[in-house]
Amino acid sequence: MSIYVCKGCGHVAFNEAPAKCPVCGAPKSSFERKDNIFVESAEKSKEGAVKHIPSIKVNKVCGLVPENDCIDIIVRIGETLHPMTPEHYIQFIDCYVDHEYRARTYLTPQTNPAVIFHLKNTEGKVQIVESCNLHGLWKAEADL
Ligand SMILES: [Fe+2]
């Protein structure tokens, strides 16, 4: 699968670069093809996987939006909690369904590296991409 990364905001697009970045609005020309981006992160930070690979829990009974068959995608970075200091932290967490972008949550060193995405009822696979300011982009996938 081809992977494109927006030079403006780090948004990852799968299969093809969009006409316009859905996160920052940058044009198609600002996307760079980087098919090995996740492999490169894993190779650069071999012991880092346990702290960077998103851990995903899918909860089909949402307590907040039950009237709309909401599916909760509960994400934590990672199995061993990633640090959140001004020098080293998770910048954002992006959510996809079948590799189509759904939403981004920005984080700061003052927060914990965990978020919940409230997806409209859907089937397929969810992908989570996170960006560490020092160790790059990491991805995980789960069934919906
Ligand atoms: Fe890191």
Side-chain angles (χ1 to χ4, degrees):
M1 176 177 284
S2 43
I3 296 174
Y4 297 83
V5 181
C6 176
K7 281 183 251 176
C9 69
H11 173 65
V12 171
F14 296 95
N15 295 318
E16 59 179 335
K20 193 177 154 191
C21 177
V23 175
C24 74
K28 193 178 196 127
S29 58
S30 74
F31 278 84
E32 214 175 341
R33 188 164 176 174
K34 290 190 171 182
D35 292 356
N36 288 321
I37 189 76
F38 300 114
V39 178
E40 283 168 24
S41 299
E43 279 171 359
K44 273 187 220 151
S45 182
K46 283 209 170 79
E47 327 69 54
V50 73
K51 279 198 295 183
H52 289 95
I53 292 175
S55 124
I56 306 171
K57 205 178 130 198
V58 177
N59 178 11
K60 297 219 174 190
V61 187
C62 172
L64 192 61
V65 197
E67 69 273 39
N68 213 15
D69 295 330
C70 184
I71 300 177
D72 294 350
I73 309 300
I74 301 162
V75 181
R76 159 192 163 117
I77 315 296
E79 201 178 294
T80 298
L81 200 67
H82 189 279
M84 291 299 272
T85 66
E87 297 74 32
H88 184 198
Y89 68 102
I90 304 302
Q91 300 167 301
F92 62 78
I93 301 175
D94 283 355
C95 178
Y96 301 75
V97 174
D98 291 336
H99 294 97
E100 278 180 29
Y101 175 67
R102 288 293 183 272
R104 164 176 291 191
T105 298
Y106 284 101
L107 302 176
T108 70
Q110 287 75 38
T111 64
N112 284 310
V115 298
I116 300 179
F117 294 101
H118 292 272
L119 287 185
K120 288 188 174 177
N121 193 11
T122 182
E123 289 179 351
K125 284 184 194 295
V126 64
Q127 291 82 29
I128 297 294
V129 172
E130 64 94 341
S131 173
C132 166
N133 72 317
L134 294 184
H135 301 110
L137 293 161
W138 299 74
K139 179 185 158 221
E141 183 174 83
D143 289 323
L144 286 173

mmCIF file with all atom_site columns, all heavy atoms in Angstrom, residues 17-39:
data_model
loop_
_atom_site.group_PDB
_atom_site.id
_atom_site.type_symbol
_atom_site.label_atom_id
_atom_site.label_alt_id
_atom_site.label_comp_id
_atom_site.label_asym_id
_atom_site.label_entity_id
_atom_site.label_seq_id
_atom_site.pdbx_PDB_ins_code
_atom_site.Cartn_x
_atom_site.Cartn_y
_atom_site.Cartn_z
_atom_site.occupancy
_atom_site.B_iso_or_equiv
_atom_site.pdbx_formal_charge
_atom_site.auth_seq_id
_atom_site.auth_comp_id
_atom_site.auth_asym_id
_atom_site.auth_atom_id
_atom_site.pdbx_PDB_model_num
ATOM 1   N N   . ALA A 1 17 ? -2.401  10.456 -2.504 1.00 0.00 ? 17 ALA A N   1
ATOM 2   C CA  . ALA A 1 17 ? -2.408  11.757 -1.844 1.00 0.00 ? 17 ALA A CA  1
ATOM 3   C C   . ALA A 1 17 ? -3.708  12.464 -2.193 1.00 0.00 ? 17 ALA A C   1
ATOM 4   O O   . ALA A 1 17 ? -4.122  12.469 -3.350 1.00 0.00 ? 17 ALA A O   1
ATOM 5   C CB  . ALA A 1 17 ? -1.210  12.572 -2.300 1.00 0.00 ? 17 ALA A CB  1
ATOM 6   N N   . PRO A 1 18 ? -4.379  13.064 -1.205 1.00 0.00 ? 18 PRO A N   1
ATOM 7   C CA  . PRO A 1 18 ? -5.634  13.765 -1.493 1.00 0.00 ? 18 PRO A CA  1
ATOM 8   C C   . PRO A 1 18 ? -5.369  15.099 -2.201 1.00 0.00 ? 18 PRO A C   1
ATOM 9   O O   . PRO A 1 18 ? -4.254  15.634 -2.126 1.00 0.00 ? 18 PRO A O   1
ATOM 10  C CB  . PRO A 1 18 ? -6.222  14.002 -0.098 1.00 0.00 ? 18 PRO A CB  1
ATOM 11  C CG  . PRO A 1 18 ? -5.042  14.040 0.807  1.00 0.00 ? 18 PRO A CG  1
ATOM 12  C CD  . PRO A 1 18 ? -4.003  13.128 0.202  1.00 0.00 ? 18 PRO A CD  1
ATOM 13  N N   . ALA A 1 19 ? -6.384  15.640 -2.868 1.00 0.00 ? 19 ALA A N   1
ATOM 14  C CA  . ALA A 1 19 ? -6.258  16.934 -3.547 1.00 0.00 ? 19 ALA A CA  1
ATOM 15  C C   . ALA A 1 19 ? -5.886  18.011 -2.534 1.00 0.00 ? 19 ALA A C   1
ATOM 16  O O   . ALA A 1 19 ? -5.135  18.938 -2.835 1.00 0.00 ? 19 ALA A O   1
ATOM 17  C CB  . ALA A 1 19 ? -7.563  17.275 -4.256 1.00 0.00 ? 19 ALA A CB  1
ATOM 18  N N   . LYS A 1 20 ? -6.439  17.844 -1.314 1.00 0.00 ? 20 LYS A N   1
ATOM 19  C CA  . LYS A 1 20 ? -6.206  18.835 -0.268 1.00 0.00 ? 20 LYS A CA  1
ATOM 20  C C   . LYS A 1 20 ? -6.078  18.084 1.051  1.00 0.00 ? 20 LYS A C   1
ATOM 21  O O   . LYS A 1 20 ? -6.881  17.179 1.317  1.00 0.00 ? 20 LYS A O   1
ATOM 22  C CB  . LYS A 1 20 ? -7.447  19.739 -0.239 1.00 0.00 ? 20 LYS A CB  1
ATOM 23  C CG  . LYS A 1 20 ? -7.314  21.000 0.553  1.00 0.00 ? 20 LYS A CG  1
ATOM 24  C CD  . LYS A 1 20 ? -8.611  21.816 0.413  1.00 0.00 ? 20 LYS A CD  1
ATOM 25  C CE  . LYS A 1 20 ? -8.773  22.698 1.626  1.00 0.00 ? 20 LYS A CE  1
ATOM 26  N NZ  . LYS A 1 20 ? -10.093 23.310 1.684  1.00 0.00 ? 20 LYS A NZ  1
ATOM 27  N N   . CYS A 1 21 ? -5.103  18.422 1.882  1.00 0.00 ? 21 CYS A N   1
ATOM 28  C CA  . CYS A 1 21 ? -4.936  17.722 3.163  1.00 0.00 ? 21 CYS A CA  1
ATOM 29  C C   . CYS A 1 21 ? -6.168  17.959 4.037  1.00 0.00 ? 21 CYS A C   1
ATOM 30  O O   . CYS A 1 21 ? -6.546  19.108 4.269  1.00 0.00 ? 21 CYS A O   1
ATOM 31  C CB  . CYS A 1 21 ? -3.680  18.234 3.871  1.00 0.00 ? 21 CYS A CB  1
ATOM 32  S SG  . CYS A 1 21 ? -3.475  17.472 5.489  1.00 0.00 ? 21 CYS A SG  1
ATOM 33  N N   . PRO A 1 22 ? -6.818  16.885 4.526  1.00 0.00 ? 22 PRO A N   1
ATOM 34  C CA  . PRO A 1 22 ? -8.021  17.060 5.341  1.00 0.00 ? 22 PRO A CA  1
ATOM 35  C C   . PRO A 1 22 ? -7.738  17.653 6.723  1.00 0.00 ? 22 PRO A C   1
ATOM 36  O O   . PRO A 1 22 ? -8.656  18.069 7.420  1.00 0.00 ? 22 PRO A O   1
ATOM 37  C CB  . PRO A 1 22 ? -8.579  15.642 5.459  1.00 0.00 ? 22 PRO A CB  1
ATOM 38  C CG  . PRO A 1 22 ? -7.394  14.756 5.280  1.00 0.00 ? 22 PRO A CG  1
ATOM 39  C CD  . PRO A 1 22 ? -6.477  15.479 4.332  1.00 0.00 ? 22 PRO A CD  1
ATOM 40  N N   . VAL A 1 23 ? -6.462  17.686 7.116  1.00 0.00 ? 23 VAL A N   1
ATOM 41  C CA  . VAL A 1 23 ? -6.124  18.249 8.431  1.00 0.00 ? 23 VAL A CA  1
ATOM 42  C C   . VAL A 1 23 ? -5.729  19.719 8.316  1.00 0.00 ? 23 VAL A C   1
ATOM 43  O O   . VAL A 1 23 ? -6.276  20.573 8.996  1.00 0.00 ? 23 VAL A O   1
ATOM 44  C CB  . VAL A 1 23 ? -4.996  17.431 9.115  1.00 0.00 ? 23 VAL A CB  1
ATOM 45  C CG1 . VAL A 1 23 ? -4.565  18.088 10.416 1.00 0.00 ? 23 VAL A CG1 1
ATOM 46  C CG2 . VAL A 1 23 ? -5.472  16.005 9.368  1.00 0.00 ? 23 VAL A CG2 1
ATOM 47  N N   . CYS A 1 24 ? -4.788  20.046 7.409  1.00 0.00 ? 24 CYS A N   1
ATOM 48  C CA  . CYS A 1 24 ? -4.266  21.422 7.372  1.00 0.00 ? 24 CYS A CA  1
ATOM 49  C C   . CYS A 1 24 ? -4.594  22.162 6.085  1.00 0.00 ? 24 CYS A C   1
ATOM 50  O O   . CYS A 1 24 ? -4.269  23.342 5.950  1.00 0.00 ? 24 CYS A O   1
ATOM 51  C CB  . CYS A 1 24 ? -2.764  21.428 7.627  1.00 0.00 ? 24 CYS A CB  1
ATOM 52  S SG  . CYS A 1 24 ? -1.789  20.832 6.231  1.00 0.00 ? 24 CYS A SG  1
ATOM 53  N N   . GLY A 1 25 ? -5.218  21.481 5.122  1.00 0.00 ? 25 GLY A N   1
ATOM 54  C CA  . GLY A 1 25 ? -5.629  22.162 3.897  1.00 0.00 ? 25 GLY A CA  1
ATOM 55  C C   . GLY A 1 25 ? -4.529  22.331 2.862  1.00 0.00 ? 25 GLY A C   1
ATOM 56  O O   . GLY A 1 25 ? -4.755  22.936 1.816  1.00 0.00 ? 25 GLY A O   1
ATOM 57  N N   . ALA A 1 26 ? -3.337  21.793 3.123  1.00 0.00 ? 26 ALA A N   1
ATOM 58  C CA  . ALA A 1 26 ? -2.235  21.930 2.165  1.00 0.00 ? 26 ALA A CA  1
ATOM 59  C C   . ALA A 1 26 ? -2.571  21.191 0.861  1.00 0.00 ? 26 ALA A C   1
ATOM 60  O O   . ALA A 1 26 ? -3.316  20.211 0.867  1.00 0.00 ? 26 ALA A O   1
ATOM 61  C CB  . ALA A 1 26 ? -0.951  21.367 2.772  1.00 0.00 ? 26 ALA A CB  1
ATOM 62  N N   . PRO A 1 27 ? -2.023  21.669 -0.266 1.00 0.00 ? 27 PRO A N   1
ATOM 63  C CA  . PRO A 1 27 ? -2.332  21.040 -1.556 1.00 0.00 ? 27 PRO A CA  1
ATOM 64  C C   . PRO A 1 27 ? -1.634  19.699 -1.726 1.00 0.00 ? 27 PRO A C   1
ATOM 65  O O   . PRO A 1 27 ? -0.715  19.357 -0.983 1.00 0.00 ? 27 PRO A O   1
ATOM 66  C CB  . PRO A 1 27 ? -1.805  22.055 -2.573 1.00 0.00 ? 27 PRO A CB  1
ATOM 67  C CG  . PRO A 1 27 ? -0.713  22.765 -1.841 1.00 0.00 ? 27 PRO A CG  1
ATOM 68  C CD  . PRO A 1 27 ? -1.140  22.826 -0.403 1.00 0.00 ? 27 PRO A CD  1
ATOM 69  N N   . LYS A 1 28 ? -2.097  18.943 -2.727 1.00 0.00 ? 28 LYS A N   1
ATOM 70  C CA  . LYS A 1 28 ? -1.551  17.618 -3.040 1.00 0.00 ? 28 LYS A CA  1
ATOM 71  C C   . LYS A 1 28 ? -0.025  17.639 -3.150 1.00 0.00 ? 28 LYS A C   1
ATOM 72  O O   . LYS A 1 28 ? 0.659   16.701 -2.746 1.00 0.00 ? 28 LYS A O   1
ATOM 73  C CB  . LYS A 1 28 ? -2.153  17.160 -4.375 1.00 0.00 ? 28 LYS A CB  1
ATOM 74  C CG  . LYS A 1 28 ? -1.951  15.704 -4.688 1.00 0.00 ? 28 LYS A CG  1
ATOM 75  C CD  . LYS A 1 28 ? -2.625  15.339 -6.011 1.00 0.00 ? 28 LYS A CD  1
ATOM 76  C CE  . LYS A 1 28 ? -2.756  13.834 -6.108 1.00 0.00 ? 28 LYS A CE  1
ATOM 77  N NZ  . LYS A 1 28 ? -4.117  13.394 -6.398 1.00 0.00 ? 28 LYS A NZ  1
ATOM 78  N N   . SER A 1 29 ? 0.526   18.755 -3.678 1.00 0.00 ? 29 SER A N   1
ATOM 79  C CA  . SER A 1 29 ? 1.970   18.846 -3.891 1.00 0.00 ? 29 SER A CA  1
ATOM 80  C C   . SER A 1 29 ? 2.756   18.812 -2.579 1.00 0.00 ? 29 SER A C   1
ATOM 81  O O   . SER A 1 29 ? 3.960   18.560 -2.580 1.00 0.00 ? 29 SER A O   1
ATOM 82  C CB  . SER A 1 29 ? 2.304   20.127 -4.655 1.00 0.00 ? 29 SER A CB  1
ATOM 83  O OG  . SER A 1 29 ? 1.838   21.251 -3.933 1.00 0.00 ? 29 SER A OG  1
ATOM 84  N N   . SER A 1 30 ? 2.107   19.046 -1.454 1.00 0.00 ? 30 SER A N   1
ATOM 85  C CA  . SER A 1 30 ? 2.853   19.017 -0.194 1.00 0.00 ? 30 SER A CA  1
ATOM 86  C C   . SER A 1 30 ? 2.920   17.598 0.396  1.00 0.00 ? 30 SER A C   1
ATOM 87  O O   . SER A 1 30 ? 3.504   17.395 1.455  1.00 0.00 ? 30 SER A O   1
ATOM 88  C CB  . SER A 1 30 ? 2.277   20.001 0.819  1.00 0.00 ? 30 SER A CB  1
ATOM 89  O OG  . SER A 1 30 ? 1.076   19.514 1.323  1.00 0.00 ? 30 SER A OG  1
ATOM 90  N N   . PHE A 1 31 ? 2.334   16.618 -0.295 1.00 0.00 ? 31 PHE A N   1
ATOM 91  C CA  . PHE A 1 31 ? 2.434   15.229 0.168  1.00 0.00 ? 31 PHE A CA  1
ATOM 92  C C   . PHE A 1 31 ? 3.657   14.566 -0.446 1.00 0.00 ? 31 PHE A C   1
ATOM 93  O O   . PHE A 1 31 ? 3.912   14.689 -1.639 1.00 0.00 ? 31 PHE A O   1
ATOM 94  C CB  . PHE A 1 31 ? 1.170   14.449 -0.202 1.00 0.00 ? 31 PHE A CB  1
ATOM 95  C CG  . PHE A 1 31 ? 0.047   14.677 0.771  1.00 0.00 ? 31 PHE A CG  1
ATOM 96  C CD1 . PHE A 1 31 ? -0.772  15.787 0.638  1.00 0.00 ? 31 PHE A CD1 1
ATOM 97  C CD2 . PHE A 1 31 ? -0.176  13.814 1.828  1.00 0.00 ? 31 PHE A CD2 1
ATOM 98  C CE1 . PHE A 1 31 ? -1.803  16.019 1.543  1.00 0.00 ? 31 PHE A CE1 1
ATOM 99  C CE2 . PHE A 1 31 ? -1.197  14.034 2.733  1.00 0.00 ? 31 PHE A CE2 1
ATOM 100 C CZ  . PHE A 1 31 ? -2.013  15.139 2.594  1.00 0.00 ? 31 PHE A CZ  1
ATOM 101 N N   . GLU A 1 32 ? 4.381   13.866 0.415  1.00 0.00 ? 32 GLU A N   1
ATOM 102 C CA  . GLU A 1 32 ? 5.581   13.157 -0.010 1.00 0.00 ? 32 GLU A CA  1
ATOM 103 C C   . GLU A 1 32 ? 5.310   11.661 0.115  1.00 0.00 ? 32 GLU A C   1
ATOM 104 O O   . GLU A 1 32 ? 4.799   11.219 1.151  1.00 0.00 ? 32 GLU A O   1
ATOM 105 C CB  . GLU A 1 32 ? 6.704   13.534 0.956  1.00 0.00 ? 32 GLU A CB  1
ATOM 106 C CG  . GLU A 1 32 ? 8.064   13.627 0.361  1.00 0.00 ? 32 GLU A CG  1
ATOM 107 C CD  . GLU A 1 32 ? 9.077   14.134 1.380  1.00 0.00 ? 32 GLU A CD  1
ATOM 108 O OE1 . GLU A 1 32 ? 8.675   14.742 2.411  1.00 0.00 ? 32 GLU A OE1 1
ATOM 109 O OE2 . GLU A 1 32 ? 10.254  13.908 1.164  1.00 0.00 ? 32 GLU A OE2 1
ATOM 110 N N   . ARG A 1 33 ? 5.673   10.889 -0.906 1.00 0.00 ? 33 ARG A N   1
ATOM 111 C CA  . ARG A 1 33 ? 5.450   9.449  -0.829 1.00 0.00 ? 33 ARG A CA  1
ATOM 112 C C   . ARG A 1 33 ? 6.482   8.823  0.100  1.00 0.00 ? 33 ARG A C   1
ATOM 113 O O   . ARG A 1 33 ? 7.685   8.999  -0.107 1.00 0.00 ? 33 ARG A O   1
ATOM 114 C CB  . ARG A 1 33 ? 5.531   8.824  -2.217 1.00 0.00 ? 33 ARG A CB  1
ATOM 115 C CG  . ARG A 1 33 ? 5.124   7.380  -2.185 1.00 0.00 ? 33 ARG A CG  1
ATOM 116 C CD  . ARG A 1 33 ? 4.825   6.814  -3.547 1.00 0.00 ? 33 ARG A CD  1
ATOM 117 N NE  . ARG A 1 33 ? 4.546   5.397  -3.393 1.00 0.00 ? 33 ARG A NE  1
ATOM 118 C CZ  . ARG A 1 33 ? 4.140   4.612  -4.369 1.00 0.00 ? 33 ARG A CZ  1
ATOM 119 N NH1 . ARG A 1 33 ? 3.960   5.092  -5.570 1.00 0.00 ? 33 ARG A NH1 1
ATOM 120 N NH2 . ARG A 1 33 ? 3.913   3.335  -4.132 1.00 0.00 ? 33 ARG A NH2 1
ATOM 121 N N   . LYS A 1 34 ? 6.010   8.121  1.139  1.00 0.00 ? 34 LYS A N   1
ATOM 122 C CA  . LYS A 1 34 ? 6.914   7.485  2.115  1.00 0.00 ? 34 LYS A CA  1
ATOM 123 C C   . LYS A 1 34 ? 6.335   6.133  2.505  1.00 0.00 ? 34 LYS A C   1
ATOM 124 O O   . LYS A 1 34 ? 5.871   5.944  3.634  1.00 0.00 ? 34 LYS A O   1
ATOM 125 C CB  . LYS A 1 34 ? 7.043   8.367  3.365  1.00 0.00 ? 34 LYS A CB  1
ATOM 126 C CG  . LYS A 1 34 ? 7.818   9.666  3.124  1.00 0.00 ? 34 LYS A CG  1
ATOM 127 C CD  . LYS A 1 34 ? 8.099   10.355 4.440  1.00 0.00 ? 34 LYS A CD  1
ATOM 128 C CE  . LYS A 1 34 ? 9.049   11.509 4.269  1.00 0.00 ? 34 LYS A CE  1
ATOM 129 N NZ  . LYS A 1 34 ? 9.377   12.152 5.524  1.00 0.00 ? 34 LYS A NZ  1
ATOM 130 N N   . ASP A 1 35 ? 6.387   5.204  1.578  1.00 0.00 ? 35 ASP A N   1
ATOM 131 C CA  . ASP A 1 35 ? 5.744   3.898  1.792  1.00 0.00 ? 35 ASP A CA  1
ATOM 132 C C   . ASP A 1 35 ? 6.278   3.157  3.008  1.00 0.00 ? 35 ASP A C   1
ATOM 133 O O   . ASP A 1 35 ? 5.581   2.318  3.580  1.00 0.00 ? 35 ASP A O   1
ATOM 134 C CB  . ASP A 1 35 ? 5.924   3.012  0.554  1.00 0.00 ? 35 ASP A CB  1
ATOM 135 C CG  . ASP A 1 35 ? 5.136   3.538  -0.637 1.00 0.00 ? 35 ASP A CG  1
ATOM 136 O OD1 . ASP A 1 35 ? 4.406   4.533  -0.468 1.00 0.00 ? 35 ASP A OD1 1
ATOM 137 O OD2 . ASP A 1 35 ? 5.254   2.956  -1.725 1.00 0.00 ? 35 ASP A OD2 1
ATOM 138 N N   . ASN A 1 36 ? 7.534   3.447  3.400  1.00 0.00 ? 36 ASN A N   1
ATOM 139 C CA  . ASN A 1 36 ? 8.148   2.688  4.498  1.00 0.00 ? 36 ASN A CA  1
ATOM 140 C C   . ASN A 1 36 ? 8.164   3.443  5.817  1.00 0.00 ? 36 ASN A C   1
ATOM 141 O O   . ASN A 1 36 ? 8.913   3.085  6.724  1.00 0.00 ? 36 ASN A O   1
ATOM 142 C CB  . ASN A 1 36 ? 9.576   2.305  4.122  1.00 0.00 ? 36 ASN A CB  1
ATOM 143 C CG  . ASN A 1 36 ? 9.592   1.233  3.063  1.00 0.00 ? 36 ASN A CG  1
ATOM 144 O OD1 . ASN A 1 36 ? 8.776   0.310  3.094  1.00 0.00 ? 36 ASN A OD1 1
ATOM 145 N ND2 . ASN A 1 36 ? 10.474  1.366  2.099  1.00 0.00 ? 36 ASN A ND2 1
ATOM 146 N N   . ILE A 1 37 ? 7.351   4.482  5.915  1.00 0.00 ? 37 ILE A N   1
ATOM 147 C CA  . ILE A 1 37 ? 7.450   5.372  7.070  1.00 0.00 ? 37 ILE A CA  1
ATOM 148 C C   . ILE A 1 37 ? 7.305   4.628  8.409  1.00 0.00 ? 37 ILE A C   1
ATOM 149 O O   . ILE A 1 37 ? 8.051   4.887  9.353  1.00 0.00 ? 37 ILE A O   1
ATOM 150 C CB  . ILE A 1 37 ? 6.431   6.535  6.957  1.00 0.00 ? 37 ILE A CB  1
ATOM 151 C CG1 . ILE A 1 37 ? 6.677   7.580  8.020  1.00 0.00 ? 37 ILE A CG1 1
ATOM 152 C CG2 . ILE A 1 37 ? 4.979   6.088  6.971  1.00 0.00 ? 37 ILE A CG2 1
ATOM 153 C CD1 . ILE A 1 37 ? 7.850   8.464  7.744  1.00 0.00 ? 37 ILE A CD1 1
ATOM 154 N N   . PHE A 1 38 ? 6.381   3.672  8.485  1.00 0.00 ? 38 PHE A N   1
ATOM 155 C CA  . PHE A 1 38 ? 6.174   2.973  9.770  1.00 0.00 ? 38 PHE A CA  1
ATOM 156 C C   . PHE A 1 38 ? 7.301   1.977  10.046 1.00 0.00 ? 38 PHE A C   1
ATOM 157 O O   . PHE A 1 38 ? 7.703   1.776  11.187 1.00 0.00 ? 38 PHE A O   1
ATOM 158 C CB  . PHE A 1 38 ? 4.810   2.273  9.783  1.00 0.00 ? 38 PHE A CB  1
ATOM 159 C CG  . PHE A 1 38 ? 3.661   3.231  9.608  1.00 0.00 ? 38 PHE A CG  1
ATOM 160 C CD1 . PHE A 1 38 ? 2.852   3.186  8.474  1.00 0.00 ? 38 PHE A CD1 1
ATOM 161 C CD2 . PHE A 1 38 ? 3.395   4.200  10.566 1.00 0.00 ? 38 PHE A CD2 1
ATOM 162 C CE1 . PHE A 1 38 ? 1.810   4.078  8.301  1.00 0.00 ? 38 PHE A CE1 1
ATOM 163 C CE2 . PHE A 1 38 ? 2.348   5.109  10.404 1.00 0.00 ? 38 PHE A CE2 1
ATOM 164 C CZ  . PHE A 1 38 ? 1.559   5.042  9.270  1.00 0.00 ? 38 PHE A CZ  1
ATOM 165 N N   . VAL A 1 39 ? 7.810   1.380  8.987  1.00 0.00 ? 39 VAL A N   1
ATOM 166 C CA  . VAL A 1 39 ? 8.945   0.456  9.127  1.00 0.00 ? 39 VAL A CA  1
ATOM 167 C C   . VAL A 1 39 ? 10.178  1.229  9.599  1.00 0.00 ? 39 VAL A C   1
ATOM 168 O O   . VAL A 1 39 ? 10.918  0.776  10.477 1.00 0.00 ? 39 VAL A O   1
ATOM 169 C CB  . VAL A 1 39 ? 9.233   -0.233 7.771  1.00 0.00 ? 39 VAL A CB  1
ATOM 170 C CG1 . VAL A 1 39 ? 10.442  -1.155 7.868  1.00 0.00 ? 39 VAL A CG1 1
ATOM 171 C CG2 . VAL A 1 39 ? 8.004   -0.992 7.292  1.00 0.00 ? 39 VAL A CG2 1
#
